Amino acid sequence: MNKKSNTLPVGYRLHQYRIEAVLGAGGFGITYKAVHEALQTRAAIKEYFPVEWSYRDRDEVNVLANTQGGLPTSEAGEDVCYTWGLERFLNEARILAQVNHTGVVRVRDFFEANGTAYIVMDYEDGEPLSQMLQREKTLSEEQIRRLLGDVLPALEAVHAQGYLHRDLKPANLYRRADGRTILIDFGAARQALGRRSKSVTSVFSPGYSPIEQYLVDGKGYGPWTDIYAVGSVLYHCVTGIAPIEAPARVLDDPLKPAAVVSAGRYSPTLLRLVDRAIAVRPEKRFQSIAEMREALNAPDQPSPPPPPPPVQPPEDEGDRTVKLELPLRPDLHRSGERPRLVIPEPPRELQPPRPVKLRRFDWRWGIGVLAAAAVLAGGEEIIRRFVIPSLSSGASTQIEPPRPPEPSKPQAGQNYTEPMTGMELVWIPPGCFTMGSPETEKGRYANEMPHQVCVKGFWMGKTEVTNAQYGRFNPNHDSGVYESYKLNAPDQPVGRIGWQEAVAYTDWLSGKTGLRFRLPTEAEWEYAARAGSTNSSPWGDDPNQACRYANIYDETARKTKPFPWVSYPCEDGQGVVAPVGKYKPNKFGLYDMLGNVAEWTCSEYDNAYAGGETRCADPSAAAGGRRVLRGGSWTDLPELLRFAYRFPTVPGNRKFDYGFRLVLEP
């Protein structure tokens, strides 16, 4: 029977400590409540356990390394592996042990055991600020000032050691039983690990992480980085909601200032402090904790009235194109660009359904990260050269898209070719199936609970979106290089795609065609991938047959880049990402549903399968949670190449083996 949890068993003796309970688990570690058996004192013990790179052995104690991958040397600049992360985990412990302040959780000890490492900290009675905010929504000014009286001196002590917290948020501000607030769960090691991993699930805290944490690797950080997070926490305390994610604030900041939202309920001094702390540009924030404390203690002055809103011309309901007073490049054609194949119009009877009115997609988030680079650099020229062409090529929608002819009633296996991109789609008939995996399935995870799901019929791309097809939207996109192998061939699937970029592509294509393109939901993806199968994969229990059905980590790929996990025993001659449609299709006529590149779905990650798998996340909700990748990639270990495997990560994560395919709504 498969183990339900990756945690140490309750009652296990870890050196002189006995494990009593699990306090929490994230993408890079597990925290336990424990008791010192000799002293009978309680402690909190954090275990290094990166879920992407490790697993618990059959003894339910020892941790084994490198089971879910890492990035190649060319991607990360050095070998990314379990040991590399372990060293940084221990280094964080050494630094924290040197911080002696009542406002910072005390590190008692750290050590290596069971193939991993542990940090022993004081256990405190109380509750995190996040729990308090969930109950009370906002805090009084007296409560906020008392909070700052604890947090700011603690941060100042941390910064004095040349260290940053990097993960300040309500969940990491712990209110003790005596009413004092302390800092817990520092994020520096996690930041370093995440930048070299396939998953950045725990790297950014949406709404609380400043723009430099999204864009800069070790540069541009400073006390102002933590100050942004403090300001975001304060914004939550005075408004009852967390700020929207930093990349969404770059071009046209939709965040209402605290001085406007909460005017009259708090002093102008406090509200001005909040708004300055959460400035998008780092240089606009307080540059030190001392400067922030000085502003907090300044005498109150009335806030100036907000300026009247600018007069806007009447907005055409169908026109959402942003007009910027900057010249656009007249010609996006690149020298040496390959001539594009002109696809003839498909037969009338194979046209997809009539278009419906398009949703108003807030595409600003999709290009926010790109624009943020310009913000940090202070470069109008960057905006002129890169951001504006992106807006020009992909942001606008057609006011009155032409209506294509009505199709005949779609039949299973029927194809439709989208004329502009040449993308082939196949009709997936409606049906019901058992989503998830049984407990007996080899390699299954606890988040794959089997349950019945029914889906409506839909069109789905026969293959993953290719470089050539994506290039119609963004001709400057680069899928990169893998171990000296270029990944930009026109028939290879597009890579290095974040969720926002995938959604932006669907919106662009919808706007150009008048049809309703989107990413598949988790349920649609698994239903289409299975095509009626109840096995874990098309090759079932015979790994020697895997090379017939998918581009996976086989003997050929192992020779290209050896990883410290087992490869499939077969060999297909394909060392890196393969041209789409090279392997055997499933019964619906879909190619590469497993392997090649991992595919974004539109669903927000729902660990309990409580309905999120059947719907799309709101693309305009910039601060949304994690999204789900399906199908695994050509670099993944064998147990991940299953229909039911789910990989949650943040929308902004872009890796060399992340791509997508489209769904067209009937």
Side-chain angles (χ1 to χ4, degrees):
M1 185 171 175
N2 288 2
K3 191 173 184 289
K4 298 287 186 177
S5 172
N6 283 320
T7 63
L8 288 171
V10 173
Y12 175 77
R13 292 186 176 181
L14 179 65
H15 284 200
Q16 64 265 52
Y17 299 93
R18 185 180 69 254
I19 302 297
E20 290 191 331
V22 177
L23 296 176
F28 294 101
I30 302 170
T31 304
Y32 304 93
K33 179 183 177 182
V35 62
H36 193 290
E37 292 191 308
L39 302 176
Q40 288 299 297
T41 55
R42 290 180 296 175
I45 301 179
K46 188 173 183 179
E47 179 184 49
Y48 174 67
F49 192 92
V51 294
E52 186 177 341
W53 303 333
S54 59
Y55 73 110
R56 195 78 64 183
D57 202 359
R58 294 179 182 273
D59 61 6
E60 301 187 357
V61 172
N62 287 297
V63 177
L64 302 181
N66 289 316
T67 65
Q68 295 193 39
L71 298 181
T73 302
S74 61
E75 180 75 9
E78 62 180 292
D79 288 333
V80 178
C81 62
Y82 178 87
T83 303
W84 186 93
L86 182 67
E87 293 172 354
R88 278 142 186 85
F89 181 84
L90 290 169
N91 185 61
E92 179 169 299
R94 294 185 188 97
I95 296 173
L96 288 178
Q98 300 173 24
V99 180
N100 185 19
H101 194 278
T102 56
V104 180
V105 63
R106 186 177 66 161
V107 174
R108 292 185 186 177
D109 194 10
F110 56 92
F111 54 85
E112 295 186 62
N114 302 331
T116 184
Y118 300 87
I119 301 176
V120 183
M121 300 166 288
D122 283 342
Y123 177 83
E124 302 281 358
D125 284 317
E127 65 176 353
L129 179 62
S130 56
Q131 188 173 325
M132 186 177 180
L133 286 172
Q134 187 175 12
R135 182 178 63 252
E136 301 183 18
K137 307 304 181 185
T138 61
L139 302 184
S140 67
E141 178 150 346
E142 180 183 358
Q143 289 174 309
I144 292 172
R145 287 182 175 270
R146 191 162 57 244
L147 172 75
L148 290 173
D150 295 333
V151 171
L152 295 185
L155 273 179
E156 202 164 28
V158 172
H159 294 173
Q161 295 289 333
Y163 198 66
L164 298 174
H165 190 288
R166 302 197 193 196
D167 196 27
L168 275 166
K169 56 186 176 183
N172 289 342
L173 295 173
Y174 200 80
R175 193 167 182 266
R176 303 190 314 191
D178 62 3
R180 299 290 301 274
T181 300
I182 61 173
L183 307 179
I184 63 172
D185 203 13
F186 284 55
R190 188 162 58 252
Q191 285 272 326
L193 294 171
R195 294 192 180 280
R196 290 159 171 83
S197 108
K198 287 186 176 183
S199 171
V200 289
T201 300
S202 303
V203 176
F204 307 123
S205 296
Y208 303 99
S209 296
I211 195 66
E212 59 265 29
Q213 287 187 250
Y214 289 84
L215 298 177
V216 184
D217 190 4
K219 301 178 181 179
Y221 288 25
W224 50 85
T225 301
D226 284 343
I227 286 171
Y228 182 96
V230 172
S232 297
V233 171
L234 297 180
Y235 188 93
H236 194 162
C237 291
V238 301
T239 66
I241 57 172
I244 60 178
E245 201 163 355
R249 302 180 56 200
V250 171
L251 287 182
D252 184 14
D253 191 358
L255 185 69
K256 294 182 179 179
V260 175
V261 178
S262 302
R265 294 192 292 121
Y266 300 91
S267 67
T269 296
L270 178 62
L271 296 178
R272 282 195 297 268
L273 177 136
V274 174
D275 289 333
R276 183 176 174 185
I278 59 173
V280 177
R281 296 181 68 105
E283 70 272 17
K284 298 290 186 182
R285 306 172 207 152
F286 301 106
Q287 298 299 289
S288 68
I289 296 296
E291 186 182 357
M292 191 174 184
R293 294 172 72 178
E294 184 179 353
L296 180 65
N297 297 323
D300 259 336
Q301 297 178 357
S303 297
V311 179
Q312 299 287 346
E315 182 180 31
D316 190 325
E317 276 298 307
D319 188 0
R320 289 285 172 176
T321 304
V322 172
K323 298 177 177 61
L324 300 177
E325 299 299 324
L326 289 174
L328 303 182
R329 286 186 352 202
D331 185 9
L332 295 179
H333 179 79
R334 299 174 295 165
S335 63
E337 185 179 21
R338 292 180 297 272
R340 298 190 177 103
L341 179 65
V342 178
I343 310 294
E345 287 289 327
R348 185 181 181 91
E349 66 272 15
L350 295 185
Q351 291 285 342
R354 294 191 324 181
V356 298
K357 187 175 182 179
L358 298 175
R359 66 183 185 274
R360 298 179 181 176
F361 172 63
D362 188 356
W363 49 265
R364 295 173 296 181
W365 209 106
I367 60 170
V369 172
L370 181 60
V375 171
L376 291 177
E380 181 178 309
E381 180 61 24
I382 296 177
I383 295 177
R384 189 188 307 274
R385 292 180 58 192
F386 299 105
V387 179
I388 302 303
S390 297
L391 293 176
S392 178
S393 63
S396 63
T397 59
Q398 192 171 323
I399 298 176
E400 290 293 337
R403 296 179 179 270
E406 290 281 353
S408 62
K409 185 177 180 179
Q411 302 294 322
Q414 180 177 335
N415 291 350
Y416 164 72
T417 300
E418 194 286 305
M420 186 172 67
T421 62
M423 187 182 304
E424 290 186 87
L425 299 103
V426 64
W427 176 251
I428 309 299
C432 301
F433 75 112
T434 300
M435 187 175 183
S437 61
E439 291 190 0
T440 55
E441 186 167 301
K442 184 179 179 181
R444 84 179 297 265
Y445 288 83
N447 64 356
E448 301 170 11
M449 297 80 74
H451 59 294
Q452 286 292 307
V453 176
C454 296
V455 299
K456 299 178 180 179
F458 55 94
W459 298 89
M460 181 175 245
K462 290 179 76 172
T463 70
E464 296 144 333
V465 175
T466 66
N467 283 311
Q469 291 162 351
Y470 191 80
R472 298 297 303 272
F473 167 64
N474 181 6
N476 297 315
H477 179 76
D478 182 11
S479 292
V481 176
Y482 179 92
E483 297 295 318
S484 76
Y485 292 89
K486 294 183 178 181
L487 307 181
N488 283 303
D491 57 353
Q492 287 178 312
V494 65
R496 298 181 191 272
I497 294 292
W499 188 83
Q500 292 91 357
E501 292 170 295
V503 172
Y505 180 85
T506 68
D507 248 61
W508 167 80
L509 189 58
S510 298
K512 291 290 186 182
T513 62
L515 305 173
R516 295 183 62 176
F517 288 96
R518 57 172 172 82
L519 298 177
T521 66
E522 268 204 273
E524 290 170 337
W525 188 96
E526 187 170 328
Y527 174 74
R530 288 184 176 277
S533 174
T534 57
N535 294 328
S536 63
S537 66
W539 50 90
D541 296 327
D542 187 358
N544 291 292
Q545 298 298 312
C547 290
R548 297 177 56 203
Y549 294 91
N551 182 24
I552 38 79
Y553 187 66
D554 60 359
E555 286 296 297
T556 310
R558 185 181 62 80
K559 295 173 185 177
T560 303
K561 172 63 179 180
F563 287 110
W565 58 85
V566 66
S567 61
Y568 281 92
C570 56
E571 192 164 359
D572 63 2
Q574 186 68 47
V576 296
V577 63
V580 299
K582 181 177 178 179
Y583 299 85
K584 189 174 179 179
N586 69 8
K587 291 184 178 180
F588 283 152
L590 302 171
Y591 295 84
D592 307 313
M593 294 299 290
L594 297 183
N596 226 20
V597 294
E599 300 177 15
W600 287 105
T601 67
C602 67
S603 297
E604 186 168 358
Y605 178 63
D606 179 354
N607 183 68
Y609 268 156
E613 71 274 21
T614 63
R615 57 180 179 265
C616 288
D618 182 0
S620 65
R626 292 175 287 172
R627 307 295 188 259
V628 185
L629 287 154
R630 286 296 202 119
S633 78
W634 91 95
T635 66
D636 283 322
L637 74 161
E639 71 179 41
L640 304 187
L641 276 295
R642 298 180 293 109
F643 295 133
Y645 175 67
R646 314 168 68 203
F647 186 82
T649 188
V650 295
N653 199 7
R654 301 170 70 250
K655 298 299 182 184
F656 68 102
D657 57 349
Y658 287 6
F660 66 106
R661 76 175 67 217
L662 297 190
V663 157
L664 171 61
E665 294 184 3

